[in-house]
């Protein structure tokens, strides 16, 4: 089939995640500085780190987008002009904006920056897409409440880039514009980057005349998580999104782990590339689904992709994530003569453990640890110390930045 480029856009909550996203197949990454983004509790990037990030991404021939997507109050605008000028000066490819004031300021003071309209702007129809184009936007990130059919109509009627979320956490609020966090905490405004995830909390009913007496909303002694959305997964709709003309497939998850970012990037990279190669013969590989189960996630849903979401898009029983594998080591290199992988420990592992290596490009490699040493060549039975360097003996050469994982009991994480 004739190939049209479609971008895989991955999250980067810090430098490690950014680099792993690029190494595992992202065409572009999105990240935030320490102000003006919607993930204030993420580690984010200092100005110096943003410059380093731009240099790394561009050295790999990829792109970097920076979020400036808060809904600002007057006091939030302090330093914004200087920040936008700085982003332009270091070569950031685009900024993601939800607010008209920030949009207008960026056009005036940093005209070389591409302007991408955030999903927070709730763009759900082609007339709004046309308006954003007329104002000077280069790309519109569609609202998550839009179906693939509607995305296609937007693309057909307006000649502009369209970006769509395909994987990751969903928000109970319309386009993520939530007031619940601020209401429940009094201080943490989700629209200014401080979401408390109130929708994931456990709720019961209290009758005003009976304070302290809690009644479950469902007939269940555990209560219910009535606002808790499942995670989005549109892996199976890659052909539909491609044929709809979508320009960028976006992965959610700047707050997620290195393991999550790398794994999801690799799965979607392989799936996109296979579709471009196979066309109508493409199908979802079971191993892709298996990989997406290994990372921390909630049950998956297709959201609004084929119509309005119904009750099956919510996870009423619990709010925690589950995962089946732990990330326990990072391969820094492979010594061919010695026959060992040079590892950095990320979690305790020992001789006898059955592990697998997820490689940036190659297939997964399974292995039972039979021998390992410290960097001085002394045999060890266990690697207990955080980030300690280990030589793990394995006959199969491994790619640098491969992740060593170990199956675990299915864990639940808040």
């Amino acid at each position: 089939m004739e190939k049209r480029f479609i971008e895989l856009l991955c999250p980067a909550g810090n430098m490690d995640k950014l680099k792993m996203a690029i190494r595992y197949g992202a065409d572009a990454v999105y990240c935030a500085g320490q102000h003006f983004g919607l993930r204030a509790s993420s580690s984010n990037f200092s100005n110096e780190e943003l410059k380093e990030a731009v240099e790394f991404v561009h050295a790999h021939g990829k792109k970097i987008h920076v979020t400036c997507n808060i809904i600002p109050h007057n006091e939030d605008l302090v330093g914004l002009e200087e920040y936008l000028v700085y982003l332009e000066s270091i070569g950031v490819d685009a900024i993601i904006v939800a607010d008209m004031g920030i949009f207008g300021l960026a056009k005036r003071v940093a005209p070389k920056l591409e302007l991408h309209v955030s999903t927070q702007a709730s763009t759900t129809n082609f007339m709004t897409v046309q308006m954003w184009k007329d104002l000077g936007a280069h790309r519109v990130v569609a609202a998550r409440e839009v179906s693939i059919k509607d995305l296609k109509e937007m693309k057909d009627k307006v000649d502009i880039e369209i970006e769509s979320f395909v994987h990751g956490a969903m928000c109970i609020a319309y386009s993520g514009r939530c007031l619940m966090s601020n209401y429940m905490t009094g201080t943490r405004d989700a629209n200014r980057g401080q979401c408390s995830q109130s929708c994931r909390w456990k709720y019961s009913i209290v009758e005003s005349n009976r304070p302290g007496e809690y009644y479950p909303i469902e007939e269940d002694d555990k209560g219910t998580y009535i606002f808790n959305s499942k995670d989005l997964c549109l892996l199976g709709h890659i052909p539909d999104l491609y044929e709809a003309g979508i320009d960028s497939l976006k992965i959610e998850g700047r707050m997620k782990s290195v393991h999550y970012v790398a794994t999801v990037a690799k799965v979607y990279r392989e799936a996109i590339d296979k579709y471009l190669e196979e066309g109508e013969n493409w199908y979802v590989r079971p191993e892709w689904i298996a990989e997406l189960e290994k990372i921390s996630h909630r049950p998956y849903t297709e959201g609004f992709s084929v119509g309005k979401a119904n009750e099956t898009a919510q996870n009423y029983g619990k709010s925690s994530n589950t995962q089946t594998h732990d990330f326990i080591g990072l391969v820094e290199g492979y010594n061919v003569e010695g026959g060992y992988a040079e590892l950095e420990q990320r979690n305790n592992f020992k001789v006898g453990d059955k592990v697998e290596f997820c490689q940036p490009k190659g297939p997964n490699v399974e292995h039972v640890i039979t021998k390992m040493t410290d960097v001085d060549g002394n045999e060890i039975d266990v690697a207990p110390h955080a980030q300690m360097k280990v030589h793990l003996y394995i006959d199969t050469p491994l790619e640098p930045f491969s992740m060593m994982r170990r199956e675990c009991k299915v864990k639940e994480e808040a």
Side-chain angles (χ1 to χ4, degrees), residues 149-326:
K149 178 182 175 183
D150 286 340
L151 287 171
K152 184 178 188 308
E153 188 171 5
M154 290 178 184
K155 189 65 184 176
D156 288 345
K157 293 190 174 182
V158 186
D159 183 17
I160 191 174
E161 289 187 4
I162 298 291
E163 177 179 306
S164 179
F165 278 93
V166 294
H167 196 94
M170 298 277 280
C171 181
I172 188 67
Y174 204 90
S175 294
R177 298 193 299 179
C178 183
L179 301 177
M180 191 172 178
S181 174
N182 207 347
Y183 178 79
M184 299 297 287
T185 66
T187 57
R188 296 184 60 177
D189 187 344
N191 297 305
R192 298 163 82 182
Q194 299 171 336
C195 183
S196 66
Q197 299 275 306
S198 305
C199 57
R200 310 294 184 188
W201 298 355
K202 183 177 179 180
Y203 292 91
S204 298
I205 294 174
V206 177
E207 201 275 320
S208 62
N209 293 323
R210 294 177 174 81
E213 295 184 31
Y214 298 90
Y215 301 92
I217 297 172
E218 289 184 308
E219 294 295 328
D220 185 333
D221 60 4
K222 295 179 181 178
T224 184
Y225 298 87
I226 56 174
F227 306 119
N228 184 45
S229 176
K230 294 180 180 179
D231 284 358
L232 183 67
C233 179
L234 298 186
L235 183 70
H237 287 286
I238 284 175
D240 303 320
L241 291 158
Y242 184 89
E243 297 306 322
I246 303 309
D247 298 279
S248 180
L249 304 183
K250 187 171 193 173
I251 308 297
E252 182 277 337
R254 281 190 288 132
M255 302 286 288
K256 303 288 181 63
S257 68
V258 166
H259 182 211
Y260 168 96
V261 171
T263 301
V264 177
K266 184 178 181 183
V267 168
Y268 277 82
R269 174 80 281 142
E270 289 184 0
I272 292 167
D273 291 347
K274 280 292 182 184
Y275 178 67
L276 294 177
E277 174 188 333
E278 298 173 348
E280 62 183 14
N281 295 319
W282 182 90
Y283 64 97
V284 175
R285 271 57 171 182
E287 58 266 30
W288 298 339
I289 300 301
E291 285 294 295
L292 295 179
E293 290 297 326
K294 292 174 183 176
I295 57 174
S296 179
H297 69 287
R298 296 178 179 87
Y300 291 122
T301 176
E302 295 183 338
F304 293 81
S305 62
V306 292
K308 289 186 177 180
N310 57 26
E311 68 278 2
T312 63
Q314 299 296 109
N315 187 18
Y316 300 106
K318 58 185 178 181
S319 67
S320 56
N321 288 6
T322 60
Q323 68 180 76
T324 63
H325 285 68
D326 284 328

Side-chain angles (χ1 to χ4, degrees), residues 365-377:
V365 175
E366 294 186 347
H367 177 70
V368 175
I369 301 175
T370 57
K371 179 183 177 182
M372 55 187 184
T373 69
D374 61 22
V375 292
D376 296 320

Side-chain angles (χ1 to χ4, degrees), residues 65-85:
H65 310 164
V66 174
T67 61
C68 298
N69 55 346
I70 62 168
I71 308 298
H73 292 234
N74 289 333
E75 62 267 26
D76 298 319
L77 299 175
V78 176
L80 175 61
E81 180 172 339
E82 294 81 1
Y83 181 63
L84 294 173
V85 170

